[in-house]
Amino acid sequence: MTVTPALGDVRVVDLSRVLAGPYCTMMLADLGADVVKIERPGEGDETRTWGPPYAGGEAAYFLAVNRSKRSVAVDLKQPDGRALVLELCARADVVLENFRPGAAARLGLDSAAVRERNPGVVYCSISGFGRREPRDRPGYDFVVQAESGLMAITGEPDGPPTKVGVALVDVVTGLHAALAIVAALRRRDATGVGERIEVSLLDSAFSALVNVAQNALVTGEEPARYGNAHPSIVPYQPFLAADGWVAVAAANDGLFVRLCDTLGRPELAADERFATNAARVRNREELLPLLEDVFATRSAEHWVTALDAAAVPAGKIRGVLEALRAAAPATVRVQHPAAGDLELVAPPFAFESASLRPAAPPPLLGRHTREVLSELGIEAARIAELEKRGVIQSSP
């Protein structure tokens, strides 16, 4: 029996660039969708140049979020280019864009224009700040981390506000967009009715603040920074062992008892200052030095092994490359036309009965221009003429 990907019959026209939109469409491509990535001739998605590092002339940043897509290079400043892309959108199941607000309408590629040609399309727009004024404000992850409060709660208590080490708001926004698109496709398949979706970085950041945002709403107070500690759970933080760091998540009283037994300090769990999580939160400044002294006596590997045996959640703090190697298989290999044998992070999900699309290399700029335009029924002579005029660009 042939097993097909879950989204194997879905065509996506991806007008987005940088991270949130491309991350969304990469997830859809992993699930089987045919993702056609529209890029500017000559330049392409700006992340193609966001390096070093590079592999085969392609920035690692671009390679990270564009596997399994087809690249079509079209100049949207030219009427013929816009007409080509509109025709692609007219035949798509999903259109995704993250232009600055108003730009899609000026190009004649907004939801109204596309849905006039394709009423059943799921059209998703990603913006920085949604419908808040000013509407044309550009949205960047770093700025939204600042504006959302995420930076204010990140960092050491006596240090400055700090951004998260990856563009997490972009990633979460991409996931939110993918979820909304799949939901809209399910409804479209049942009713024939398309959908207009809006996802903003700011609202995604608020959603990702979860308990911290709710704490602020309940108390009416600004949350404090706790560094690597937790505002509501103790101990839930890293401890320095003799040769490295160990992250410990004793998230309830039972786990704390097992932690203390493993550390050889069972009396701490019986101490009324530390017997309950609420008490430990109140008395963290007294408890933590006692735990730190014990962790410093043995290696990180010793403590992780011992805590694992006691079913206490714990892990060694690893570097990124170390973690990818320790958790193998966490990557896939593809043959890239410029970089050769290329290792990528693997898709994060697996299905029991459906399949994922086999990973394909992130495309060279314009790699599929001729192929995709031929699928529209455009003859080779016309494609060559468009390329000569700079409306499109193709690569071998």
Side-chain angles (χ1 to χ4, degrees):
M1 181 180 69
T2 301
V3 179
T4 58
L7 299 181
D9 59 348
V10 172
R11 165 71 68 88
V12 178
V13 172
D14 182 5
L15 300 171
S16 71
R17 64 193 196 284
V18 187
L19 182 50
Y23 189 83
C24 168
T25 56
M26 184 175 69
M27 295 294 102
L28 299 178
D30 288 337
L31 293 169
D34 175 19
V35 175
V36 176
K37 181 178 179 67
I38 306 300
E39 301 188 71
R40 293 172 294 180
E43 302 175 357
D45 189 317
E46 51 258 58
T47 60
R48 287 184 181 274
T49 64
W50 283 9
Y54 298 94
E58 298 283 341
Y61 202 117
F62 177 85
L63 297 173
V65 291
N66 286 288
R67 65 173 173 261
S68 302
K69 302 177 186 180
R70 298 197 287 172
S71 172
V72 174
V74 182
D75 185 357
L76 296 179
K77 294 180 180 179
Q78 299 197 43
D80 284 345
R82 295 193 294 273
L84 289 173
V85 173
L86 182 59
E87 187 61 34
L88 284 171
C89 294
R91 305 187 189 193
D93 298 287
V94 177
V95 174
L96 176 72
E97 61 90 7
N98 66 350
F99 296 115
R100 285 181 66 166
R106 290 191 294 271
L107 292 169
L109 296 171
D110 60 335
S111 175
V114 172
R115 294 179 73 183
E116 183 177 355
R117 294 284 308 279
N118 183 0
V121 73
V122 173
Y123 189 103
C124 181
S125 297
I126 293 176
S127 66
F129 298 92
R131 299 191 177 189
R132 300 169 179 88
E133 297 294 342
R135 292 291 303 276
D136 63 348
R137 189 179 183 189
Y140 282 82
D141 176 280
F142 179 62
V143 173
V144 174
Q145 286 198 36
E147 292 272 356
S148 66
L150 182 57
M151 284 178 63
I153 63 166
T154 305
E156 292 302 318
D158 56 352
T162 304
K163 74 178 181 68
V164 180
V166 71
L168 187 63
V169 173
D170 273 339
V171 172
V172 172
T173 302
L175 291 172
H176 288 168
L179 175 62
I181 286 168
V182 171
L185 284 172
R186 186 176 187 276
R187 178 174 176 269
R188 191 278 308 270
D189 290 346
T191 67
V193 178
E195 188 57 84
R196 170 83 165 92
I197 299 168
E198 296 184 45
V199 183
S200 79
L201 272 65
L202 185 61
D203 289 308
S204 291
F206 288 150
S207 177
L209 286 171
V210 287
N211 60 296
V212 176
Q214 193 61 48
N215 289 352
L217 293 173
V218 167
T219 64
E221 299 176 355
E222 288 292 350
R225 282 192 295 281
Y226 285 84
N228 287 319
H230 195 289
S232 305
I233 305 172
V234 175
Y236 199 95
Q237 65 184 71
F239 292 91
L240 183 60
D243 63 349
W245 291 91
V246 178
V248 177
N252 59 49
D253 295 340
L255 288 173
F256 182 66
V257 170
R258 296 205 292 272
L259 170 65
C260 294
D261 289 343
T262 304
L263 297 179
R265 297 293 307 271
E267 74 280 4
L268 293 178
D271 190 315
E272 65 179 11
R273 296 173 298 168
F274 315 132
T276 67
N277 181 69
R280 293 191 294 276
V281 170
R282 288 193 300 270
N283 299 298
R284 72 170 74 217
E285 300 304 326
E286 298 171 63
L287 173 62
L288 294 179
L290 301 175
L291 301 179
E292 289 166 353
D293 288 346
V294 180
F295 273 102
T297 64
R298 306 294 290 269
S299 70
E301 191 64 35
H302 167 83
W303 290 122
V304 170
T305 300
L307 291 170
D308 279 349
V312 176
K316 179 183 175 183
I317 296 183
R318 304 180 185 274
V320 174
L321 188 60
E322 178 190 6
L324 289 169
R325 298 293 179 246
T331 63
V332 294
R333 290 190 176 275
V334 297
Q335 291 301 310
H336 189 275
D341 184 45
L342 179 66
E343 191 175 17
L344 303 170
V345 175
F349 30 63
F351 290 79
E352 182 174 338
S353 57
S355 68
L356 297 180
R357 176 187 296 279
L364 296 177
L365 176 61
R367 172 67 180 82
H368 305 94
T369 301
R370 290 176 172 269
E371 175 182 291
V372 171
L373 295 187
S374 294
E375 293 170 2
L376 290 180
I378 300 175
E379 296 182 352
R382 171 64 171 162
I383 294 174
E385 184 263 330
L386 290 168
E387 187 161 13
K388 184 177 181 180
R389 291 197 288 116
V391 177
I392 63 172
Q393 176 186 343
S394 65
S395 65

